[in-house]
C-alpha cells in the first residue's frame, strides 16, 4: 500500500488529504453510523478539485458565477462536509462532530439548504448526475442570453462525482445520453471506480465498459489509474476543461477505505464505521501524528483555508467584470439580477385569457397550452418541455425555439423519452437559479420521475409539472396509461402540490398559482378529453382555486344544504349536472370544486368550515381515481364515487359508465345517503 501521494506532491498535500480521511472516519465512528470508505478514497480528488480547480468563495456560497459541484453519491457526504469545513464555509468542526445527529447541519446524506456549500440534495443514487446536467443546461442558456462580447459574466463549470451505484442507476444513463447529445462542454464528471458496492465486488452485477459507454454518448473520456496521483488528477481535469465541445467523464481508479489495513478494497468500508481498533490502525498506517479524534493539524487547516483568500480574489475579479458589464449593459444586468433573485416581472400574467362558456368544451390540456403561451412572452425565465409528448402535453412555447447544441437560447426542451432525467434536470435547473422550468408527460409516467419529484419536494425546489391524460378519461389507450392511485399518492407526499383544474378558467388560475407558489414543486393535472367551460356568470369565480376548494353553486334560495357534492377536474361536469337535477327535485345541494387539497388544507379553519360546514355531513366526492385521499373531506358519513381497480381500454364515455361515474350514479348515491 502506498502511503505517500506520488510525484511532486508535498508532505503538506498529503497532510491536507489525510485530514479529510481522518475527519471522515472519526465522524462516522462518533455517529456510529455512516459511510467512511468512499470519503477516504476520494480525499485526493477533493483536494485537487477544491485547491486547484473549483472556482468558489467559501464566504459567499451564493456567488452567482461560482462553479457548481454535485456529490452524486450523497452517502459519501463526510467528504463534502470535511472539505466545506476545511475551506472555511460556515460549518464548524463542532458540527462535524454532530454528524447525523438531531438538529445538526451535517445530515446523513447531503441536503441543499441545510449545509452551506451543498449544491444538491443527494442520496438516492443517480439523481446527482441528472442534477448536474440540469445545472450545465442552465449555465449554457444564461451565458447565451446574458454574455456580450468582452463581457463573460456567466462562465462557470459544473462538476460531479458519481459512484458505481450512480452509474448503474438508469437516471444517470438517461442524463448522460441527454448531456452528450446537447454537447454540454462545461460539464465535468468523475467516476469513482472502486469496484465495490454494498453486496461486494462490482463484478457481481456490472460488466459495463463505462469509458466506451460514455464515448458512445458523445462524452470526452479521461482515465486516472491511481487516485493518489495528484498530478494525474490535475492533468485529466485540465484536459476535461479544455474539451469544451462535449461533456467529460474522468474515470478514477480508487480504493475504498484507502489506508485501512484490514478494510481497504472491501465492502466493509462502505457503510459502517471502521471500528475503534481499525481507526487506530488506519491512522498509524497513514502516519497520522495522533490518535485524538477530529485532530486537525494547523498546517493543513491553514493550507485548506487559503481557499478563502483565493475565493475572495476570484469573486472580486468577477465583481469588477460585473460592474463593467452593468455599466455597458444596464438593462441586461438588471434583468439578470431579477432572474437570479427569482422576482417576477410586473404584469407577467396580464395576457392570461379569460375563457367564457361561449368558448365551449375544451380539454384542460389545450387551455394549458394557451395559458403557457399567454405567459411565456412576458416571463423569459419560463422554459420547459416534455419527455417526447410536447404535442400531447401542449407544452410548446411557440416561437421559443428548441434548446440544442447549436441553440442555447431555445426555450423548448426535448428531453426525449427520459422522464427520470427530465425530473432530475428540472431540479438541477432550479438549483442553479435564474429559471422557472416546467416538464411535461402523461400523469401515468410520473411513475418514471417520481424519485426526482420527491427530492424536489424535500428540497423545496419549485419546478412545475404538466401532467396530461390524467384519468380513465384518456380512453382507448387503456389501463397501462390510465392513472388510478397517482393523485392519492402524491397528495400523501409532503410539500408536493397537485392542482387538478376543472375547466379552462381554473387552468389559468392553476398556472398563476403554480408560478407564484414558493418552496415546493407544483403539478398541474390536465385532461385529454374536452370538458365544459363553466359559466362563471352562474357559478362561483375560478379564482377560488387559490383557496384550494370553493363553492361553485348552492341551491337557489340558500339555507343550509342537505348535501354537498364535491370533486375535481373533469368530474366537476358530473357534479354540476347532478346538483342541478337534485335541486330541481327540491334537494338543497351545494357543489364544491376542490382542485387542490394542499391549498385548501392551508386555509384558516373558518374558510374551510364555510365551504364544508361541519353541520352538513352528507357529502359525496366524485373523482375518477383512487378514493382514499377524499375520506378526510367527506367524513364518516360521506361517500366517494371513485375507482378501486385498474382502468380498461375503451372509449372514455363507456368507461365512465362501466365504472359508475356518471350523473345518474351520483344522483343514486346521493339519494341513498339522504334516504330519499
Ligand atoms: C437509488 C438508490 N438505491 C439504493 C441505495 C442504497 N445504497 C447506498 S450506496 C449503495 C451502493 C454503494 O456502491 P457505490 O455506489 O459504488 O458506492 P461506494 O461503495 O463506492 O461508496 C446503495 C445500493 C441508494 N442510496 N439509492
Amino acid at each position: 500500500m502506498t502511503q505517500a501521494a506520488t510525484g511532486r506532491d508535498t508532505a503538506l498535500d498529503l497532510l491536507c488529504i489525510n485530514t479529510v480521511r481522518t475527519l471522515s472516519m472519526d465522524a462516522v465512528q462518533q455517529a456510529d453510523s455512516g459511510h467512511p470508505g468512499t470519503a477516504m478514497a476520494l480525499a485526493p480528488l477533493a483536494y485537487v478539485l477544491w485547491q486547484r480547480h473549483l472556482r468558489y468563495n467559501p464566504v459567499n456560497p451564493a456567488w452567482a458565477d461560482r462553479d457548481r459541484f454535485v456529490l452524486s453519491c450523497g452517502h459519501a457526504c463526510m467528504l463534502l462536509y470535511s472539505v466545506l469545513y476545511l475551506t472555511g464555509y460556515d460549518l464548524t468542526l463542532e458540527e462535524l462532530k454532530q454528524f447525523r445527529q438531531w438538529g445538526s447541519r451535517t445530515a446523513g446524506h447531503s441536503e441543499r439548504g441545510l449545509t452551506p456549500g451543498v449544491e444538491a440534495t443527494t442520496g438516492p443514487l443517480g439523481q446527482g448526475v441528472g442534477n448536474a446536467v440540469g445545472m450545465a443546461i442552465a449555465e449554457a442558456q444564461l451565458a447565451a442570453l446574458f454574455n456580450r462580447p468582452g463581457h463573460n459574466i456567466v462562465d462557470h463549470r459544473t462538476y460531479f462525482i458519481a459512484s458505481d451505484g450512480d452509474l448503474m442507476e438508469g437516471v444517470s444513463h438517461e442524463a448522460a445520453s441527454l448531456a452528450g447529445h446537447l454537447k454540454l462542454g462545461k460539464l465535468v464528471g468523475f467516476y469513482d471506480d472502486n469496484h465495490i458496492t454494498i453486496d461486494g465486488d462490482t463484478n457481481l452485477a456490472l460488466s459495463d465498459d463505462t469509458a466506451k459507454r460514455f464515448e458512445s454518448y458523445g462524452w470526452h473520456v479521461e482515465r486516472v489509474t491511481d487516485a493518489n496521483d495528484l498530478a494525474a488528477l490535475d492533468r485529466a481535469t485540465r484536459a476535461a476543461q479544455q474539451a469544451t465541445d462535449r461533456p467529460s467523464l474522468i474515470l478514477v481508479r480508487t480504493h475504498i477505505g484507502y489506508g485501512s489495513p484490514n478494510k481497504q478494497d472491501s465492502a466493509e468500508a462502505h457503510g459502517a464505521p471502521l471500528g475503534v481498533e481499525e481507526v487506530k490502525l488506519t491512522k498509524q498506517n497513514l502516519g497520522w501524528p495522533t490518535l485524538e479524534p477530529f485532530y486537525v493539524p494547523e498546517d493543513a487547516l491553514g493550507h485548506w483555508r487559503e481557499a478563502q483568500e483565493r475565493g475572495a480574489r476570484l469573486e472580486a475579479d468577477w465583481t469588477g467584470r460585473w460592474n463593467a458589464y452593468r455599466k455597458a449593459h444596464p438593462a441586461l444586468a438588471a434583468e439578470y439580477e431579477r432572474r437570479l433573485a427569482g422576482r417576477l416581472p410586473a404584469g407577467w400574467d396580464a395576457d392570461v385569457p379569460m375563457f367564457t362558456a361561449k368558448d365551449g368544451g375544451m380539454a384542460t390540456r389545450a387551455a394549458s397550452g394557451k395559458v403557457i403561451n399567454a405567459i411565456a412572452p412576458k416571463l423569459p425565465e419560463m422554459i420547459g418541455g416534455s419527455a417526447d409528448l410536447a404535442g400531447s402535453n401542449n407544452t410548446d412555447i411557440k416561437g421559443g425555439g428548441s434548446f440544442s447544441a447549436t441553440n442555447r437560447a431555445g426555450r423548448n426542451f426535448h428531453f426525449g423519452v427520459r422522464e427520470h432525467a427530465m425530473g432530475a434536470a428540472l431540479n438541477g435547473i432550479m438549483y442553479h437559479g435564474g429559471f422557472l422550468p416546467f416538464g411535461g408527460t402523461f400523469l401515468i409516467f410520473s411513475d418514471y420521475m417520481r424519485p426526482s419529484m420527491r427530492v424536489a419536494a424535500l428540497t423545496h425546489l419549485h419546478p412545475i409539472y404538466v401532467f396530461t391524460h390524467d384519468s380513465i378519461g384518456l380512453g382507448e389507450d387503456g389501463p397501462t396509461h390510465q392513472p388510478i392511485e397517482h393523485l392519492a399518492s402524491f397528495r400523501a407526499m409532503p410539500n408536493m402540490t397537485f392542482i387538478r383544474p376543472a375547466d379552462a378558467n381554473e387552468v389559468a388560475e392553476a398556472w398563476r398559482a403554480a408560478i407564484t407558489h414558493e418552496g415546493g414543486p407544483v403539478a398541474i393535472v390536465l385532461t385529454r378529453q374536452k370538458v365544459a367551460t363553466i359559466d362563471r356568470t352562474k357559478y362561483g369565480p375560478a379564482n377560488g382555486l387559490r383557496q384550494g376548494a370553493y363553492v361553485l353553486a348552492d341551491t337557489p334560495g340558500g339555507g343550509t344544504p342537505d348535501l354537498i357534492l364535491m370533486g375535481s377536474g373533469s368530474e366537476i361536469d358530473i357534479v354540476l349536472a347532478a346538483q342541478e337535477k337534485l335541486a330541481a327535485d327540491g334537494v338543497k345541494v351545494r357543489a364544491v370544486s376542490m382542485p387542490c387539497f394542499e391549498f385548501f388544507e392551508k386555509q384558516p379553519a373558518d374558510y374551510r368550515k364555510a365551504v364544508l360546514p361541519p353541520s352538513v355531513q352528507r357529502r359525496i366526492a366524485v373523482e375518477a381515481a383512487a378514493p382514499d385521499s377524499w375520506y378526510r373531506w367527506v367524513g364518516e358519513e360521506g361517500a366517494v364515487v371513485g375507482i378501486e381497480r385498474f382502468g380498461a381500454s375503451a372509449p372514455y364515455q363507456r368507461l365512465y359508465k362501466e365504472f359508475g361515474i356518471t350523473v345518474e350514479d351520483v344522483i343514486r348515491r346521493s339519494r341513498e345517503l339522504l334516504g330519499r
Side-chain angles (χ1 to χ4, degrees), residues 35-39 41-42 72-76 109 122-127 162-169 171 191-200 202 254 256 266-267 269-271 420 451:
H35 303 77
T38 304
L42 291 171
S72 190
C73 40
H75 61 271
H109 293 79
T122 53
L125 290 167
Q127 285 294 321
S163 65
D164 297 307
D166 283 306
L167 293 196
M168 286 185 197
E169 286 290 352
V171 61
Y191 168 35
D192 173 26
D193 181 15
N194 65 19
H195 294 208
I196 292 291
T197 63
I198 292 176
D199 276 3
T202 45
T254 62
I256 194 165
S266 88
H270 163 84
H420 201 171

Side-chain angles (χ1 to χ4, degrees), residues 573-643:
D573 278 359
I574 296 172
V575 164
L576 289 179
Q579 193 250 1
E580 208 165 284
K581 286 202 175 158
L582 286 164
D585 287 351
V587 183
K588 286 193 275 182
V589 190
R590 166 172 290 187
V592 169
S593 177
M594 197 185 285
C596 180
F597 284 26
E598 295 80 11
F599 290 167
F600 192 55
E601 282 157 14
K602 286 191 193 122
Q603 296 308 307
D606 284 354
Y607 178 80
R608 281 189 274 118
K609 285 181 187 166
V611 177
L612 302 177
S615 62
V616 186
Q617 286 299 313
R618 293 189 179 101
R619 303 174 179 182
I620 293 182
V622 190
E623 190 174 71
D628 310 60
S629 51
W630 285 95
Y631 285 107
R632 171 170 178 191
W633 308 115
V634 298
E636 285 282 296
E637 293 171 41
V640 185
V641 176
I643 304 176

